[in-house]
Structures are given as structure tokens and as C-alpha cells.
Amino acid sequence: MIKKYPPKLVLLGICLFILSACETDDFIENNTTITNTTTAEDVKLYEKWFDSSKLPDIEEVFSEESLISEKQLDAQIAIQKSSNSQPVYVHYMPWFQSKETDGYWGQHWTMTNQNPEVVHEDGRRQIASHYYPKIGPYSTKDKDLQQYHLLLMKLSGVDGVIFDWYGIRDVLDFQNIKEGMESFLKQLNKTDIEFAVMYEDRVIHEQSRALTPIQISQAKNDLQYIESTYFDMDNYIKIDNKELLMIFGPNYIDEEQDWSEVLGSLKEKYNVLTLWGAQDIIGRQNTNGEFAWIDRGHLNTLYGYYNYNVDFNDVIGGVSYPGFHDFYVEGGWKPADSRQWSIDRFDDEPLVNSFVETTKHPVDFVQIATWNDFGEGTMIEPTEEHGYKHVEQLQDLTRIGYSHEDLRIPYYIYKIRKQFPKERYVRFLTKRAYKYAMKGKLSRAKWIISILLMYYGDSYL
């Protein structure tokens, strides 16, 4: 999802940004504790989670847990929130399919020329990305995947999820994206994590090359669906008691009068946010603010935007990101002569620096862009290349109060489930470990996981 901010921001901000570099370094040193991360994980980490001299039989653990009802477990204290003054949301792509879950590999793993059925010597499947998920390519509809992501988010200090959303029509893979999001919501709604929707108006362009009353009607139907289906949910994100509706762009509907008609079809007025610099396209009377995104100018662009191009009387969404390195040319989604750019994850810790720059300003929330856009290489989800580095950095930035070691809990649960999907002890006890961890009872979750790994082995980790 590439969107460039007008180049003038780089010119406006670059000089003062350079002058403020030392000040920014001081801010990082004095106000954050960023721990260096390792690239390799010791799979025996779980052995520290139990007393080997008192290792119980797994049947005893099963019996003990069986005495605790689901109601008793659900009543336990919820996990602590981050201490960040601005909520932290992650931008989430609900658009992945896998052969195991869906019967086929979706286009966001294949693009035009990659085949996940091809397995390399190192055990990795061939996918359309420069990066490889630590758990391998997956389906958004997989319940195990959903719980893996949600628990990682909780332990990283994430407050909410912003779903990329493409409408209700069955065009291209848009219906699959909608179904993926709604499947994910079934698990998300069992937690205290919030969510909101970011609408892609370019779906209208895919339905017709010319903007007609039919396309305007379709945009109305899309937003009315959002309003009637999601806004009534208790955990939908609100700012000043008004639901948040984000629009990535607009990219296709570019007349104020058309947006007045589309938004006027909703029952109420909501917090409508456009991409940065696009409020005038939709109309100031139709919007409440805007949100920042990733730009090739990186910190220069962010500095110029926050200092010279934004009215903080509006609702403003800030942004933080770990890098940018898309696979579109290699995957055949862009011609070979396309102009390329990237933000290197190794050069200057972009996730940390963009977060620090953003939180120096009175933004209403910080959007992490993204959780899992592997095609553009902006994900913070754990990968083979970077391990847990970015979720560990986010954990430090949000000051959630949990350790880097705790972030291994979701991985262990996911891997045990996939290795032994029919074992009754595994099914029951991983469910318990997940619930304990979501409730903040990490010691109990770790203890259960360590018993399972000692009993079943760990060669698959």
C-alpha cells in the first residue's frame, strides 16, 4: 500500500531536521530504553520456566486444570495496558490464504510468479516477499494464527488493530479480505484489544474504470456496511466518543461533492480521517483530520509534516514503521523499470526513530505501519531475518512492562498446536496457556508450555 506524501514536505523539513538531530538523539537516550536484540533464539529458553526437579506428570497437569472452569478463568484479572499517553494501533492486512486452511495459496504469498509449494533447502517456502514469517506463510482465517498474532500484540503493548478493508463486493480478492477480517474479529472480540477500519476507495476503480452513479452507490453501500456491522461493537475505536473511520487516500473518488453524498448517506457524523494532505479532496466539512504514512523521505518527511503541515486541533494519527522494501518488481506486480525506493531496517532503527519523532507531537494515536504487509516489507511481525527484534522494540517503546522473553510464549503455543493438532493434552493445555497469558498470568502460561515441550519434545521449534 504505497502512498507518497507531497515532496515539498521534505524540502520544508530537511534543514531543521538536520539541526535537531542532536536533540533527537538526546531524546532517545533520555526517554526510552531500547534493548539490543539478538538474531538467534535459543529454543531451550522454556527450560528456565519450570523446576526440573519437580516436573509433574502431564496427566496431573491436565487434571488440575480441568478443575478450573472457563468461567473462573475468564474472571481473572486482565493484562496490563501500555503506559503510553497515545494509544498504539497496528495496521493489519487480513488478506492471506494458505493451502492448508483455504485450499490454495493466495496472491499475497504468490503475486504473479512465486509458488509456496516450492520448498527450498532451508525449509522455507517460495513466497512473494524479501522476508519470511517466523511461523511460515499462513492464512488469516486460521484460529491458531489469530491467537498467535493477538497474544503477540498484547505482550507488545498494542492497544488496537486497524484493518485494511476493501468493501463488500466480490471483486478480485476483496471478498476474501472482508471474510478474513471478520474471521479474525471472532478472536479479537474475546480480548480487550480495540479495532477500526481503513477503507480503500480504489476498490471502486476496480469495479468500473469510470466514476458513475453506480460506483458512488457502491461506496455508500460499503460505508453503510461498516457503520451497521462494526460501529456497534463495544471495542470499536472511538475518539472523543465518535467512531474512527479512516480512508486510505482517497485514490479514486476525488470530488468533494461526491464525498459529501457518500458520507451524507451515513446515519451520523464520525471521525473521518484521510491520508495526510488529502482533507481538501474529501472536504474539510466532511472530515475530522488525517493520518501520516510511510514516505521515501522517512524522518525528514515526518519532521516537516508534524512541524509545518498539520493542524493539531484536528484528529491526527501519527505513524511508526520498521522499514520499507517491497517485492512488487520481483513478484511481477510492477514493471522492471519502475522507480524503486526503500527504507533500510539496518541503517538507523526506523521503527524506534519514527516512533520517537511521532510521539514528540500531540498526535491522537500512533499507527504502526504495518503488522504484516510482507509484500511491502513493512511488517513488525517476527521473521526469520529479524527474529523478534521489532516487537521487542515496540514492547520497550510502549513500556508495557513485560519481558522480551515473554514474547516467545505465542510462538511456542502456535508451534505445539501445529505439530500435534489432534493430541487432547495439547489442545486443552495450549488453550489454557493462551488464556492465562492473555490475562497476564504469564508464569502459569510458561509453566504449562514448558511441561508440554518436555513431554512432547522440541525438535520442531
Side-chain angles (χ1 to χ4, degrees):
M1 249 182 22
I2 302 173
K3 188 71 177 181
K4 298 184 293 182
Y5 194 72
K8 64 180 182 179
L9 283 185
V10 178
L11 298 175
L12 286 170
I14 189 168
C15 294
L16 285 177
F17 176 78
I18 293 171
L19 290 173
S20 69
C22 295
E23 178 184 350
T24 300
D25 290 342
D26 291 341
F27 182 90
I28 296 174
E29 181 179 351
N30 296 330
N31 291 274
T32 62
T33 304
I34 306 303
T35 306
N36 291 329
T37 60
T38 57
T39 57
E41 180 196 358
D42 179 6
V43 297
K44 299 290 187 181
L45 180 66
Y46 68 88
E47 292 184 347
K48 300 191 301 183
W49 296 352
F50 67 95
D51 183 350
S52 58
S53 66
K54 300 178 181 179
L55 185 64
D57 182 80
I58 196 165
E59 179 65 41
E60 295 176 9
V61 179
F62 179 85
S63 299
E64 181 181 339
E65 282 298 320
S66 297
L67 296 175
I68 304 172
S69 69
E70 291 290 319
K71 185 176 181 181
Q72 288 175 307
L73 193 58
D74 289 339
Q76 296 187 28
I77 298 173
I79 199 169
Q80 63 176 292
K81 290 281 190 179
S82 67
S83 59
N84 232 37
S85 58
Q86 298 115 323
V88 174
Y89 305 137
V90 291
H91 190 94
Y92 193 91
M93 306 306 190
W95 59 23
F96 295 104
Q97 294 85 35
S98 71
K99 191 169 184 178
E100 178 185 11
T101 301
D102 307 279
Y104 67 99
W105 293 103
Q107 66 172 341
H108 294 282
W109 292 129
T110 67
M111 292 192 183
T112 66
N113 55 22
Q114 302 298 294
N115 180 9
E117 287 300 292
V118 175
V119 181
H120 300 295
E121 291 183 0
D122 61 2
R124 300 185 190 183
R125 295 182 182 273
Q126 183 187 84
I127 62 171
S129 177
H130 295 292
Y131 308 94
Y132 199 82
K134 187 164 181 62
I135 60 169
Y138 51 76
S139 168
T140 303
K141 294 181 181 179
D142 180 1
K143 179 181 174 182
D144 294 338
L145 176 279
Q146 294 163 0
Q147 292 190 350
Y148 167 71
H149 279 176
L150 287 166
L151 186 51
L152 274 172
M153 291 175 192
K154 289 295 293 185
L155 297 175
S156 303
V158 171
D159 299 297
V161 178
I162 297 172
F163 289 101
D164 209 39
W165 198 82
Y166 287 74
I168 60 177
R169 292 282 301 280
D170 190 7
V171 177
L172 300 180
D173 67 341
F174 299 160
Q175 181 70 16
N176 288 331
I177 294 172
K178 171 181 168 294
E179 291 174 356
M181 171 187 163
E182 292 179 354
S183 172
F184 197 95
L185 279 179
K186 292 178 182 178
Q187 291 301 314
L188 183 147
N189 289 345
K190 296 176 183 178
T191 73
D192 60 355
I193 296 175
E194 297 180 307
F195 80 97
V197 170
M198 183 179 291
Y199 179 58
E200 296 258 6
D201 78 309
R202 65 188 178 92
V203 301
I204 305 300
H205 180 61
E206 298 296 340
Q207 295 162 15
S208 175
R209 301 306 178 189
L211 188 61
T212 70
I214 295 175
Q215 276 62 59
I216 295 298
S217 177
Q218 184 56 48
K220 290 181 185 178
N221 291 338
D222 287 341
L223 295 193
Q224 287 169 6
Y225 183 89
I226 293 172
E227 180 181 46
S228 62
T229 306
Y230 307 132
F231 282 1
D232 286 339
M233 294 184 180
D234 292 338
N235 58 339
Y236 195 90
I237 294 171
K238 297 181 178 67
I239 297 176
D240 295 331
N241 209 34
K242 292 171 64 176
E243 288 79 2
L244 177 65
L245 175 59
M246 302 173 73
I247 297 172
F248 193 78
N251 287 289
Y252 185 58
I253 304 176
D254 57 5
E255 294 291 338
E256 181 178 329
Q257 63 184 30
D258 291 331
W259 277 108
S260 294
E261 182 178 347
V262 170
L263 294 168
S265 69
L266 300 178
K267 295 177 182 178
E268 297 181 28
K269 287 188 175 293
Y270 302 103
N271 277 314
V272 177
L273 271 60
T274 71
L275 196 59
W276 51 3
Q279 276 187 273
D280 289 335
I281 298 175
I282 292 183
R284 295 277 172 170
Q285 77 278 8
N286 294 323
T287 62
N288 299 79
E290 56 189 43
F291 60 93
W293 195 248
I294 309 164
D295 182 78
R296 70 183 66 197
H298 188 23
L299 296 178
N300 293 329
T301 304
L302 284 183
Y303 184 88
Y305 175 69
Y306 292 136
N307 285 282
Y308 303 110
N309 287 267
V310 65
D311 182 356
F312 286 107
N313 291 317
D314 293 337
V315 176
I316 300 298
V319 71
S320 178
Y321 43 83
F324 183 95
H325 187 196
D326 71 61
F327 199 79
Y328 293 152
V329 170
E330 296 89 336
W333 277 10
K334 275 187 173 183
D337 59 354
S338 297
R339 186 180 180 188
Q340 295 292 290
W341 60 278
S342 64
I343 297 174
D344 194 335
R345 289 168 179 255
F346 296 100
D347 277 355
D348 62 352
E349 301 296 356
L351 180 68
V352 174
N353 290 329
S354 57
F355 192 99
V356 169
E357 178 61 36
T358 291
T359 52
K360 288 163 63 176
H361 305 277
V363 297
D364 291 275
F365 61 89
V366 180
Q367 179 178 199
I368 306 299
T370 64
W371 179 264
N372 63 338
D373 192 338
F374 281 88
E376 294 196 350
T378 57
M379 66 286 137
I380 65 166
E381 173 184 347
T383 63
E384 291 290 354
E385 293 76 14
H386 296 281
Y388 296 86
K389 173 182 176 179
H390 298 108
V391 286
E392 289 175 346
Q393 288 179 334
L394 185 60
Q395 199 180 55
D396 294 336
L397 290 163
T398 60
R399 304 176 178 89
I400 186 61
Y402 291 97
S403 72
H404 293 175
E405 178 182 296
D406 297 336
L407 292 167
R408 277 62 176 173
I409 296 173
Y411 176 75
Y412 285 142
I413 292 174
Y414 180 89
K415 294 293 285 187
I416 298 169
R417 283 174 165 175
K418 291 306 182 190
Q419 188 70 19
F420 305 102
K422 296 182 180 180
E423 289 285 335
R424 70 181 185 120
Y425 293 148
V426 170
R427 291 200 308 269
F428 179 76
L429 291 176
T430 55
K431 181 179 179 181
R432 282 303 171 96
Y434 171 76
K435 283 202 167 186
Y436 281 127
M438 278 300 238
K439 293 291 184 180
K441 297 179 70 67
L442 300 190
S443 295
R444 185 68 177 181
K446 290 178 177 178
W447 183 75
I448 291 174
I449 291 167
S450 64
I451 300 302
L452 285 169
L453 288 171
M454 289 298 296
Y455 186 84
Y456 287 99
D458 61 11
S459 60
Y460 49 90
L461 294 178

